[in-house]
């Protein structure tokens, strides 16, 4: 039996309405992503990248179009069902980390498991395993505000992984950090992808994007390129 794509976006549009203006953030975007793909989303500021990521993460619903996440039409799910699916299937890594301040790295990483029904006695061990994986075994008791930007981002990655999500969504995961640390984070993503996680990452940095095997390029809320072509251009530039 043919496996369904983990992500099916069918004619997704998103229009933000305020009293004064309507902004078309996404205009009729369609694509599929198969299990195990590593995809980068690129495009100028305001082109709709974060809007698309919010839809893919089921954090928001499209104005029109159909979004099917791992075979389920998101439109038909209740808020509780959505929250549950997000927690079980999707790991989020955002540019602003979203860590709790004055709270240890370990506690931050344990948090999704409290909502996710992981038995209390297992949470610490699992959290430690992922903090170790991102190279932070010696920073687990530091509060998040006592960590560097790159370290905070790695805590956010560890936190995104404790529920073993099929999909990792990352919005500018290397946006605020030095390039050596960014490469470390890409090495982690690469390893996760090899282990079978589907990774979708927004970036405006060609050096970062080339780690993905497929690049979706957005402009004015539309897909203007999708595939390997843009990556070839980036790599070509790098060598020439
Ligand atoms: N909540 C909102 N209300 C109204 N307009 C919005 C809202 N969120 C985003 N927009 C608009 O939608 C468009 C797409 O925004 P989006 O955040 O998706 O862009 P982006 O590609 O992620 O940009 P950046 O690279 O700067 O993060 C922009 O023109 C933005 O001004
Ligand atoms: Mg954005």
């Amino acid at each position: 039996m043919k496996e369904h794509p983990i992500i099916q976006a069918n004619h997704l549009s998103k229009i933000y309405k305020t009293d004064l203006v309507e902004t078309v953030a996404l205009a009729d975007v369609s694509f599929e992503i198969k299990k195990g793909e590593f995809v980068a989303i690129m495009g100028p500021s305001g082109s709709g990248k974060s809007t698309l990521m919010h839809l893919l993460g089921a954090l928001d619903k499209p104005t029109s179009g159909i979004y099917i996440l791992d075979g389920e039409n998101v439109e038909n799910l209740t808020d509780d069902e959505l929250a549950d699916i997000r927690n079980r299937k999707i790991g989020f890594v955002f540019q602003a980390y979203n860590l709790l301040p004055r709270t240890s790295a370990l506690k931050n990483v344990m948090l999704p498991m409290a909502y996710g029904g992981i038995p209390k006695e297992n949470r610490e061990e699992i959290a430690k395993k992922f903090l170790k994986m991102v190279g932070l075994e010696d920073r687990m008791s530091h509060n998040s505000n006592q960590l560097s930007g790159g370290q905070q981002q790695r805590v956010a990655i560890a936190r995104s992984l404790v529920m073993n999500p099929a999909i990792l969504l990352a919005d500018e995961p290397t946006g605020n950090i030095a390039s050596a640390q960014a490469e470390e984070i890409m090495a982690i993503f690469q390893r996760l992808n090899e282990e079978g996680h589907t990774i979708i990452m927004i970036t405006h940095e060609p050096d970062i994007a080339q780690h993905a095997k497929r690049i979706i390029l957005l402009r004015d809320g539309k897909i203007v390129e999708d595939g390997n072509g843009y990556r070839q251009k980036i790599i070509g530039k790098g060598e020439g």
Side-chain angles (χ1 to χ4, degrees):
M1 198 181 79
K2 192 173 166 284
E3 236 187 325
H4 59 249
I6 196 153
I7 282 180
Q8 292 173 271
N10 298 320
H11 303 288
L12 294 183
S13 292
K14 181 74 188 178
I15 300 170
Y16 292 110
K17 290 192 178 114
T18 65
D19 293 344
L20 295 174
V21 285
E22 277 193 6
T23 308
V24 181
L26 275 184
D28 195 13
V29 163
S30 298
F31 59 90
E32 289 184 348
I33 293 177
K34 292 196 278 291
K35 272 195 187 111
E37 281 199 79
F38 188 169
V39 181
I41 299 174
M42 299 190 80
S45 179
S47 58
K49 304 180 298 295
S50 295
T51 301
L52 177 59
M53 193 65 105
H54 279 84
L55 296 183
L56 297 182
L59 293 163
D60 200 358
K61 288 185 178 175
T63 311
S64 62
I66 295 172
Y67 175 40
I68 296 173
L69 170 59
D70 203 6
E72 292 196 79
N73 187 340
V74 163
E75 199 179 337
N76 299 334
L77 301 171
T78 65
D79 286 350
D80 280 352
E81 287 169 333
L82 280 178
D84 183 56
I85 284 193
R86 277 197 300 269
N87 196 46
R88 281 189 295 110
K89 290 197 177 159
I90 304 176
F92 293 96
V93 180
F94 289 129
Q95 183 170 10
Y97 318 132
N98 296 318
L99 301 177
L100 295 179
R102 296 179 299 281
T103 303
S104 71
L106 184 62
K107 286 231 167 77
N108 267 288
V109 174
M110 285 166 67
L111 203 61
M113 292 186 276
Y115 299 121
I118 305 290
K120 215 169 183 168
E121 60 272 24
N122 301 342
R123 290 178 204 159
E124 187 167 319
E125 191 189 327
I126 296 170
K128 283 181 174 165
K129 181 180 99 179
F130 283 100
L131 279 164
K132 202 168 165 189
M133 194 205 95
V134 297
L136 288 177
E137 57 269 52
D138 58 345
R139 291 289 185 278
M140 296 196 283
S141 58
H142 277 57
N143 286 349
S144 51
N145 48 300
Q146 298 165 333
L147 296 168
S148 74
Q151 289 169 339
Q152 289 182 50
Q153 190 60 298
R154 282 185 278 154
V155 174
I157 292 169
R159 183 188 53 184
S160 76
L161 295 172
V162 290
M163 295 298 292
N164 193 29
I167 309 171
L168 190 66
L169 296 180
D171 194 344
E172 298 270 6
T174 60
N176 286 330
I177 55 189
S179 59
Q181 293 193 321
E183 278 307 319
E184 273 176 36
I185 284 168
M186 282 308 103
I188 295 169
F189 277 23
Q190 210 109 48
R191 203 159 75 232
L192 290 167
N193 181 236
E194 278 155 22
E195 287 169 8
H197 293 270
T198 306
I199 300 182
I200 307 172
M201 138 184 110
I202 294 175
T203 182
H204 61 263
E205 296 166 82
D207 286 355
I208 296 298
Q210 65 171 298
H211 291 277
K213 296 177 194 83
R214 169 179 170 192
I215 298 177
I216 295 176
L217 202 56
L218 286 179
R219 180 159 302 151
D220 297 330
K222 296 190 188 76
I223 294 179
V224 292
E225 199 168 319
D226 180 359
N228 193 28
Y230 190 65
R231 180 166 177 262
Q232 291 306 326
K233 276 183 232 163
I234 294 172
I235 295 171
K237 257 184 218 156
E239 285 168 355

